[in-house]
Amino acid sequence: MSTIFSKIIAREIPARIVYEDDLCLAFHDVNPQAPTHILIIPKKEIPRVAATTAEDKALLGHLIHTAQTLAKNQGLHDSGFRLVINNGPDGGESVPHLHVHLLGGRALQWPPG
Amino acid sequence: MSTIFSKIIAREIPARIVYEDDLCLAFHDVNPQAPTHILIIPKKEIPRVAATTAEDKALLGHLIHTAQTLAKNQGLHDSGFRLVINNGPDGGESVPHLHVHLLGGRALQWPPG
């Protein structure tokens, strides 16, 4: 399994990268649904959250904590933001490489899709 | 800070609880936005994801992994599901006690609110 996200990690495809560390990469979504719409992905090729094991808990925590840190860096801590993980057909999963959506800069509606 | 969720944890307010362990509790949302709509909350009183520190990463990972395990138990692994965390006004945060929404049983739309 190798997706467009693996190519972004390998710098084979360009992306507007905003953050990188040993475990994850973050970049702007090419089809933004809000003024700020960033994807946070693990460098490890995990297709979706349903494919994670107990061993991936630390990585999952790192992704979520990184997402909220990026929200702070984007000036969204006071105005607010939403984190979204899609899994499978009903979830609207687009790319089979686990990713966390960070959306902010407008009032997100309810229900969340 | 003590919210309605603390009272649910303490069994002072009833809820349709589906899972509990040392770190978290999960129960059905009283205003479901999908056929399956469960909230996964830490027992630790953390107001929102923006208030987490690096020390909370393991707990965050546990919440997300528990959410996907519950999705499996609810029969949503094949059909799909969405995980959502709201933070602050624009995120639509309702109760100031960190919670992960698990939604499934229908096709979730895009954008996610």
Side-chain angles (χ1 to χ4, degrees):
Chain A
M1 180 214 78
S2 194
T3 71
I4 187 173
F5 288 176
S6 296
K7 296 186 197 305
I8 289 175
I9 293 169
R11 305 298 202 273
E12 295 170 6
I13 292 179
R16 291 173 56 211
I17 294 171
V18 293
Y19 177 77
E20 179 173 25
D21 64 25
D22 289 347
L23 297 173
C24 71
L25 187 74
F27 51 90
H28 289 278
D29 194 303
V30 291
N31 292 305
Q33 304 297 316
T36 297
H37 188 169
I38 291 171
L39 304 181
I40 301 94
I41 70 172
K43 290 188 173 177
K44 179 180 177 182
E45 289 185 344
I46 302 174
R48 59 193 59 83
V49 70
T52 59
T53 69
E55 291 180 355
D56 295 314
K57 282 186 187 180
L59 178 57
L60 288 170
H62 182 71
L63 295 176
I64 299 297
H65 191 261
T66 297
Q68 77 84 13
T69 302
L70 293 175
K72 184 176 185 178
N73 295 347
Q74 296 282 324
L76 300 174
H77 257 202
D78 290 336
S79 55
F81 58 90
R82 179 170 290 168
L83 305 182
V84 177
I85 300 175
N86 297 327
N87 192 105
D90 278 355
E93 178 191 307
S94 51
V95 177
H97 183 127
L98 176 60
H99 49 290
V100 178
H101 294 266
L102 162 62
L103 301 108
R106 68 170 174 85
L108 283 307
Q109 303 301 302
W110 202 247
Chain B
M1 179 213 80
S2 194
T3 71
I4 186 172
F5 287 175
S6 296
K7 297 186 196 306
I8 289 175
I9 293 168
R11 305 299 202 272
E12 296 171 5
I13 292 179
R16 292 172 56 210
I17 294 170
V18 293
Y19 176 77
E20 181 173 23
D21 63 25
D22 289 348
L23 297 173
C24 71
L25 186 75
F27 50 90
H28 290 277
D29 194 302
V30 291
N31 291 306
Q33 303 297 318
T36 297
H37 188 170
I38 291 170
L39 304 181
I40 301 93
I41 70 172
K43 291 187 174 178
K44 179 179 176 182
E45 289 185 345
I46 302 173
R48 58 193 60 81
V49 70
T52 60
T53 69
E55 290 181 356
D56 295 314
K57 282 186 187 181
L59 178 58
L60 289 170
H62 183 70
L63 295 176
I64 299 296
H65 192 260
T66 297
Q68 75 84 13
T69 302
L70 293 175
K72 183 176 185 179
N73 294 348
Q74 295 283 325
L76 300 174
H77 256 202
D78 290 336
S79 55
F81 58 91
R82 178 171 290 170
L83 304 183
V84 177
I85 300 175
N86 297 328
N87 192 106
D90 278 356
E93 178 191 306
S94 51
V95 177
H97 183 126
L98 175 60
H99 49 289
V100 179
H101 294 266
L102 161 62
L103 301 108
R106 68 170 174 86
L108 282 308
Q109 304 300 303
W110 202 245

